[in-house]
Amino acid sequence: IIGQGFTNEDYVGLFGARLLKDKIISDPIHIWIEIGPHDASHIFYIGFLDFLFGENYNMYLYSSIFLKIVATLLLYPLILLISKNKLFAFLGTFLYGISYPSAGALYLYVVGNEYLGVALMNLFLISYYFCVKKTKFWLLLLILLLTILSYLASPVRIFPVFAIIFLVEAFILFRNKFLNFLPSVIRLISIFLPITIIALANFNNL
């Protein structure tokens, strides 16, 4: 996969980023709405790499590799928190690191932002875990920020997590006979309010 070099999809994404360069700088929200969150995240990512590295395409690959390593390493504490088993956490992290599906963004450099999305998503889930244990204001702000950043980096990665969040909160409520209703509502608002605002903004500007 690593030896494939730039693909047609990468050149198309890079051409789009260069074509929209002025608008990306002056009016990124318009680009976000015009081409949609998923494609916009790819355009912004490869446009940023183009700004940093220009024609040095090897650095595009190294950036993807670096982000994959970060995303993989952040998976270990997440699995460890959930499983309480170091061996299981190591094996889960190792399998993700070497699995073929997780290497897809090394083939298409333009989608390297998905590793950034996975890394931010892992940080979000780690923060959410601690927030469930004890809801604190700074943790609520952190998960709100990480929700926004994860969504901006890779919408397709964060959306499945929202279903998990609903299931976790429902389980907590039923297990505790709705005694922790208010903390659950506060956590859900912190997570879903920014995404709802972004979605409404996109809808109103269509």
Side-chain angles (χ1 to χ4, degrees):
I1 290 177
I2 291 178
Q4 294 291 329
F6 248 53
T7 65
N8 291 335
E9 290 86 347
D10 292 320
Y11 282 114
V12 169
L14 184 60
F15 175 77
R18 289 176 175 175
L19 185 65
L20 299 172
K21 180 179 179 180
D22 292 337
K23 284 189 175 181
I24 290 175
I25 296 173
S26 63
D27 194 5
I29 296 177
H30 176 76
I31 299 298
W32 183 269
I33 295 171
E34 187 74 17
I35 67 177
H38 180 66
D39 291 333
S41 64
H42 297 327
I43 292 294
F44 291 163
Y45 172 74
I46 202 165
F48 182 67
L49 293 184
D50 183 44
F51 171 76
L52 290 178
F53 308 123
E55 303 288 330
N56 187 357
Y57 298 134
N58 284 333
M59 292 303 299
Y60 292 56
L61 171 62
Y62 299 149
S63 298
S64 293
I65 293 174
F66 173 75
L67 290 174
K68 177 175 170 55
I69 292 172
V70 172
T72 302
L73 292 177
L74 286 173
L75 191 61
Y76 177 82
L78 175 61
I79 299 176
L80 182 61
L81 284 172
I82 297 171
S83 68
K84 311 297 183 185
N85 187 306
K86 292 183 179 180
L87 178 59
F88 186 78
F90 172 78
L91 290 175
T93 303
F94 178 75
L95 289 174
Y96 172 80
I98 66 171
S99 66
Y100 183 83
S102 73
L106 296 179
Y107 173 69
L108 292 175
Y109 302 161
V110 71
V111 298
N113 62 295
E114 293 189 8
Y115 289 134
L116 177 60
V118 171
L120 290 168
M121 181 185 70
N122 289 340
L123 284 174
F124 162 76
L125 289 172
I126 291 169
S127 303
Y128 174 73
Y129 174 89
F130 286 110
C131 195
V132 169
K133 289 291 184 180
K134 190 169 184 180
T135 302
K136 294 183 179 180
F137 181 71
W138 69 271
L139 281 173
L140 291 172
L141 289 179
L142 183 59
I143 62 174
L144 186 150
L145 176 62
L146 288 171
T147 300
I148 296 173
L149 292 177
S150 299
Y151 179 76
L152 294 177
S154 181
V156 71
R157 296 296 179 184
I158 192 64
F159 271 119
V161 175
F162 293 154
I164 297 174
I165 297 299
F166 268 119
L167 291 174
V168 169
E169 293 295 346
F171 174 77
I172 292 172
L173 287 174
F174 281 110
R175 186 188 64 179
N176 296 317
K177 299 180 180 179
F178 291 87
L179 294 177
N180 292 328
F181 179 76
L182 184 58
S184 287
V185 170
I186 292 174
R187 287 193 298 268
L188 288 173
I189 290 175
S190 298
I191 295 169
F192 290 102
L193 180 61
I195 301 303
T196 302
I197 292 174
I198 293 173
L200 289 175
N202 286 344
F203 179 78
N204 289 334
N205 285 278
L206 288 178

